[in-house]
Amino acid sequence: MLEIFQYQFMQRALIAAVLVSVACGVVGSYVVIKRIVSLSGAISHAAFGGVGIGYFLGVNPVLAAIPFSIISAIAIGGVKQISNISEDTSIGILWSVGMAIGVIFINLTPGYAPDLFSYLFGSILTVNNTDLYIMLILDIIIIATVYLFRREFLAVSFDEEFSKVVGLPALLVYMLLLALVALSVVVLIKVVGVILLIALFTIPAAISKQYTYNLRNLMILATILGIVLTTLGLILSYIFNLASGATIVMVLATAFAISYYLKG
């Protein structure tokens, strides 16, 4: 089975599986603990607006998605603080508006977008060296930020109200956490696409949460699980000639079902 990794595109896909697992293991742990899964889903779909703008401007869609995703994340978090609009309402609005912006700009772009589906549904087998460099840089930024603000993130994730009482700038920390979610979305977007990436955010961390309550251990275990399960999904998609993003998600879901059964 290992002979399939003699091909360069499979080698790049394996590296991508490791890089995305780091992002989803670290940030996904906060997403599960803080219970902002739906908000993360909104950010992931809003990121498609950045992809569309990238196509329109003729730049790398992944690079274009970075500022757009961060702005969308801050907008979603900020609406809750400065208006009477409920968070779930703002999530629904920005979720659809981001996708709509992406569709409009792609429609305005002359010609045909050949790899559009890879951003919607993922295609880990088409990841190139540029994508890998972007993923690596974003992973480094994510890990460095989490290390520097680990206490603040921990406090806001478990008890935001108490964080405010003790004088912690909870809103700024929360916004920074959402920005990390946005960066993670960009890391994951080429692997499973904006439609499916919420599974990579949540399932490895959700499985790991059944076995540990220590945040550091949770991140490590979620990262390892992400690497193993994503690689397994990659191999199965190649062997059976299936869509890579969907196969990875189904492997993750199966692993969660087995883990839930065993713990039950």
Side-chain angles (χ1 to χ4, degrees):
M1 182 179 294
L2 293 179
E3 63 268 14
I4 65 176
F5 290 106
Q6 65 181 312
Y7 304 110
Q8 284 193 350
F9 71 91
M10 288 298 293
Q11 293 170 4
R12 288 193 294 267
L14 181 60
I15 295 172
V18 174
L19 293 176
V20 301
S21 297
V22 171
C24 70
V26 174
V27 180
S29 298
Y30 288 119
V31 168
V32 171
I33 290 173
K34 183 66 176 169
R35 297 181 180 179
I36 53 173
V37 174
S38 59
L39 194 152
S40 301
I43 295 173
S44 69
H45 284 71
F48 189 67
V51 172
I53 292 173
Y55 273 115
F56 181 75
L57 297 177
V59 301
N60 189 316
V62 175
L63 289 176
I66 295 175
F68 194 88
S69 299
I70 294 175
I71 292 171
S72 300
I74 294 174
I76 291 172
V79 165
K80 175 186 175 183
Q81 304 294 330
I82 64 177
S83 71
N84 293 325
I85 301 176
S86 63
E87 188 173 59
D88 62 328
T89 301
S90 64
I91 286 172
I93 293 172
L94 290 170
W95 184 310
S96 54
V97 168
M99 291 289 290
I101 290 173
V103 171
I104 289 173
F105 274 98
I106 289 172
N107 184 253
L108 291 174
T109 304
Y112 173 69
D115 57 346
L116 177 60
F117 278 161
S118 68
Y119 294 102
L120 284 171
F121 303 104
S123 181
I124 193 172
L125 298 178
T126 63
V127 170
N128 56 41
N129 289 333
T130 301
D131 294 326
L132 293 179
Y133 288 132
I134 294 173
M135 291 177 186
L136 176 60
I137 292 170
L138 294 180
D139 270 354
I140 293 172
I141 293 173
I142 289 168
I143 293 172
T145 305
V146 168
Y147 179 77
L148 292 173
F149 297 96
R150 58 190 183 279
R151 293 186 179 87
E152 290 82 358
F153 286 148
L154 182 66
V156 170
S157 296
F158 281 99
D159 196 335
E160 188 172 345
E161 292 302 320
F162 178 76
S163 301
K164 295 177 182 178
V165 171
V166 299
L168 191 71
L171 178 58
L172 290 178
V173 175
Y174 180 58
M175 292 297 182
L176 182 57
L177 179 58
L178 293 185
L180 288 186
V181 172
L183 290 181
S184 300
V185 163
V186 178
V187 175
L188 299 172
I189 199 169
K190 277 298 287 287
V191 175
V192 289
V194 298
I195 306 296
L196 303 173
L197 69 79
I198 197 64
L200 259 177
F201 254 140
T202 56
I203 294 179
I207 295 174
S208 303
K209 192 170 179 285
Q210 296 176 346
Y211 298 93
T212 180
Y213 290 100
N214 181 282
L215 182 58
R216 178 175 173 271
N217 293 339
L218 177 63
M219 290 180 178
I220 293 173
L221 183 56
T223 299
I224 294 173
L225 277 174
I227 293 172
V228 172
L229 297 175
T230 303
T231 302
L232 178 58
L234 169 63
I235 294 171
L236 292 176
S237 69
Y238 179 84
I239 293 174
F240 296 104
N241 194 27
L242 299 171
S244 56
T247 305
I248 290 171
V249 171
M250 291 307 299
V251 169
L252 290 168
T254 302
F256 178 80
I258 293 172
S259 175
Y260 184 82
Y261 175 78
L262 293 176
K263 288 296 289 185

